[in-house]
Amino acid sequence: MARARALDEEERKKAIKAHALDQLFDGDWTAAAGQFLLHWYGHSSHPKRLLVLTPDRIVLAAPPKRVSVRQAERMVVVAEIPASEARVEDPLLGIHRSDRLRIVFSDGSWLTVITDEERSEIHKHLMRRLRTVS
């Protein structure tokens, strides 16, 4: 049993690398993903972020730029991306459990988002959506 888990973990790590989910973004600072990252991190250097999907947009929030004691939980919206400009995907959906998602912009650039847990609510939403489409 432990050996099977170790093999599965090794395969998961290989899949993460194969899909470039071990990289923050596609590396092109002039593309939509690179510009978005510059904008996003310009609002707050705090590492905690919140990603919310709505039917027509991706909403990202972060703590205020200057975070003092007890303010880390206070989030402000720093970006709203229309569904026509980007989508959230789970490249490992149905293959491996993962704590990684990808935001893919309409120009083909992308960035990786690491969630607090494997199979986050967004992962589950993407799985349900895939089942209804299939």
Side-chain angles (χ1 to χ4, degrees):
M1 185 82 123
R3 185 176 182 168
R5 264 191 246 127
L7 285 173
D8 186 50
E9 181 62 18
E10 186 177 318
E11 289 299 315
R12 186 182 79 82
K13 286 179 181 177
K14 285 180 184 176
I16 286 172
K17 190 164 190 72
H19 288 280
L21 291 168
D22 58 339
Q23 297 175 30
L24 177 61
F25 74 116
D26 69 352
D28 184 351
W29 288 105
T30 61
Q35 289 296 300
F36 176 77
L37 281 174
L38 292 172
H39 171 77
W40 189 8
Y41 286 107
H43 282 283
S44 175
S45 60
H46 195 277
K48 189 172 187 174
R49 302 280 192 251
L50 179 65
L51 173 75
V52 178
L53 298 182
T54 71
D56 62 343
R57 63 190 58 247
I58 300 167
V59 179
L60 296 137
K65 192 167 193 149
R66 294 181 184 263
V67 179
S68 62
V69 177
R70 295 188 200 122
Q71 282 191 332
E73 298 303 316
R74 196 176 100 219
M75 296 279 188
V76 294
V77 172
V78 296
E80 294 185 47
I81 309 167
S84 61
E85 293 179 23
R87 71 182 187 286
V88 175
E89 66 179 23
D90 178 358
L92 302 183
L93 187 65
I95 303 168
H96 298 285
R97 287 180 167 261
S98 173
D99 61 349
R100 289 145 201 260
L101 297 167
R102 180 171 285 152
I103 299 176
V104 181
F105 291 84
S106 57
D107 67 356
S109 64
W110 52 265
L111 62 94
T112 299
V113 177
I114 300 174
T115 60
D116 286 341
E117 59 191 33
E118 291 182 355
R119 298 285 161 96
S120 68
E121 290 302 314
I122 294 175
H123 286 93
K124 292 173 189 173
H125 169 75
L126 294 172
M127 289 174 70
R128 284 190 301 270
R129 193 170 71 191
L130 180 65
R131 285 187 203 128
T132 59
V133 172
S134 298

